[in-house]
């Protein structure tokens, strides 16, 4: 059950960025600001600074600072898809690079979390590509992973795996593999005991709460594709039937009744608030975006 919930979270965060308008133009490496909640500022490589605004493009060498209660969501395009800078955090975009080698695309992404934490999802990378997140005590290698990483040296894996290399003064570097549903913590900048443990349940609930706006964007992004009432060729859909179908799909993939109902409610509440026509295409998109990565019976 726990793993099923993790897959839901990973799918939501992943599809949240895919469903948004394309954020890249050609192969130019950049981070596009998708959303700003509260107050956030930037300082770029040339020392230019100012408030961060939606739609703004941030390049390599830019440092992002969020205030208390503030969040910045970024789309890194080919350099790693979705990234969220959490409240009261400082993130440096140390390096964003894209290179085409024949049919392959090689990307190099280097980030540093100096304060607070970041939450992200990285699509599967080519063998020659690299995506690294530096903290006070180590570096995380990301490959096809949903993650939550803290500046103080906590590495959480929501899906896939993270290879973490820890450096301590006067000691050889140590490598750890953090797999789905687990976290590596402890140690700190001055060394100390490192432990691999399951992510606390309360933290998973918090992440699910943060995923709700992304669920909303998945649905809202379909508004333009939904037929207007005057264009609807068929009778209005059986809403209760669709509600039951989403619920059954979620349950068949190992979610509890409570978790399945949350998925159903998110779908209908957002569709209703945005005046979106519920149709087969919208339903199918939602199932594929949120539930397809969960295999039936996968409640381990």
């Amino acid at each position: 059950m726990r793993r099923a919930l993790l897959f839901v979270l990973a799918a939501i965060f992943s599809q949240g960025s895919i469903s948004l308008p394309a954020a890249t133009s050609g192969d130019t490496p950049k981070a596009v600001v998708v959303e700003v909640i509260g107050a956030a500022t930037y300082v770029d490589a040339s020392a230019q600074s100012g408030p961060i605004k939606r739609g703004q493009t941030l390049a390599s060498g830019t440092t992002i600072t969020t205030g208390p209660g503030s969040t910045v969501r970024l789309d890194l395009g080919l350099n790693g898809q979705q990234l969220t800078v959490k409240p009261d955090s400082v993130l440096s975009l140390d390096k964003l690079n894209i290179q085409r080698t024949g049919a392959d695309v090689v990307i190099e992404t280097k980030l540093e979390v100096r304060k607070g934490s970041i939450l992200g999802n990285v699509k599967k990378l080519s063998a020659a590509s690299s995506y690294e997140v530096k903290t006070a005590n180590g570096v995380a290698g990301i490959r096809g992973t949903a993650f939550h990483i803290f500046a103080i040296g906590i590495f959480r894996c929501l899906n896939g795996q993270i290879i973490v290399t820890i450096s301590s003064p006067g000691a050889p570097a140590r490598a750890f593999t953090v797999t789905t549903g687990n976290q590596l913590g402890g140690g700190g900048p001055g060394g100390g005991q490192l432990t691999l443990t399951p992510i606390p349940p309360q933290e998973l609930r918090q992440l699910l709460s943060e995923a709700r706006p992304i669920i909303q964007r998945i649905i809202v992004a379909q508004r333009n594709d939904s037929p207007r009432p005057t264009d609807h060729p068929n009778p209005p859909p059986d809403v209760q039937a669709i509600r039951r179908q989403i619920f059954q799909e979620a349950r068949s993939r190992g979610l509890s009744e409570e978790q399945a109902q949350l998925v159903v409610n998110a779908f209908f509440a957002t569709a209703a608030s945005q005046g979106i026509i519920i149709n087969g295409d919208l339903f199918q998109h939602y199932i594929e975006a949120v539930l397809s990565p969960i295999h039936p019976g996968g409640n381990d």
Side-chain angles (χ1 to χ4, degrees):
M1 189 72 66
R2 172 189 175 84
R3 188 171 293 271
L5 179 56
L6 284 160
F7 277 127
V8 168
L9 283 165
I12 289 170
F13 284 117
S14 171
Q15 295 297 329
S17 63
I18 292 173
S19 298
L20 295 168
T24 58
S25 175
D27 289 345
T28 304
K30 58 186 177 182
V32 175
V33 179
V34 173
E35 182 179 41
V36 181
I37 299 174
T41 59
Y42 76 94
V43 179
D44 66 18
S46 62
Q48 294 288 326
S49 63
I52 294 177
K53 300 177 181 179
R54 182 179 179 181
Q56 185 174 0
T57 297
L58 304 175
S60 293
T62 299
T63 298
I64 299 166
T65 302
T66 58
S70 302
T71 300
V72 172
R73 299 188 190 277
L74 304 171
D75 185 348
L76 273 60
L78 294 177
N79 277 95
Q81 213 167 355
Q82 183 177 354
L83 188 69
T84 299
V85 186
K86 304 276 283 176
D88 202 18
S89 298
V90 177
L91 171 70
S92 174
L93 305 176
D94 288 349
K95 189 172 187 178
L96 301 174
N97 190 49
I98 301 171
Q99 182 178 0
R100 286 196 178 272
T101 57
D104 202 6
V105 178
V106 178
I107 70 104
E108 184 179 11
T109 301
K110 292 183 182 294
L111 311 174
E112 182 178 359
V113 189
R114 299 178 181 175
K115 180 183 178 183
S117 68
I118 60 172
L119 180 68
N121 184 83
V122 177
K123 60 189 176 183
K124 187 175 181 180
L125 303 177
S126 65
S129 295
S130 65
Y131 187 116
E132 295 181 348
V133 180
K134 182 180 179 181
T135 69
N137 67 331
V139 177
I142 309 294
R143 304 194 68 84
T145 307
F147 62 86
H148 189 191
I149 295 177
F150 295 74
I152 59 174
I154 297 175
F155 304 85
R156 290 177 177 160
C157 181
L158 298 175
N159 189 36
Q161 69 176 24
I162 304 172
I163 306 299
V164 181
T165 302
I166 299 296
S167 301
S168 301
R174 293 172 289 172
F176 298 82
T177 300
V178 187
T179 54
T180 300
N182 295 299
Q183 67 177 22
L184 176 68
Q193 184 65 39
L194 285 158
T195 56
L196 274 168
T197 58
I199 299 174
Q202 64 270 24
E203 298 295 338
L204 291 181
R205 287 194 292 270
Q206 177 63 28
L207 288 175
L208 187 56
S209 174
E210 293 172 8
R212 286 170 183 159
I214 300 176
I215 295 175
Q216 292 177 348
R217 288 200 296 278
I218 291 173
I219 298 175
V220 171
Q222 300 305 301
R223 178 191 294 180
N224 293 335
D225 297 329
S226 298
R228 295 179 176 84
T230 55
D231 299 331
H232 210 295
N234 300 315
D238 184 341
V239 172
Q240 290 304 317
I242 293 178
R243 182 180 292 273
R244 287 193 299 270
Q245 194 170 353
I246 295 177
F247 182 85
Q248 290 166 2
E249 287 273 359
R251 289 286 286 142
S252 72
R253 287 165 168 77
L255 299 186
S256 68
E257 291 188 3
E258 181 180 2
Q259 292 163 351
Q261 194 59 54
L262 186 149
V263 172
V264 172
N265 291 346
F267 176 83
F268 280 94
T270 307
S273 68
Q274 299 295 330
I276 299 171
I277 301 297
I278 304 293
N279 59 21
D281 290 341
L282 176 59
F283 165 72
Q284 189 60 39
H285 177 86
Y286 189 75
I287 290 297
E288 290 176 358
V290 179
L291 298 178
S292 286
I294 307 175
H295 300 293
N299 55 338
D300 51 341

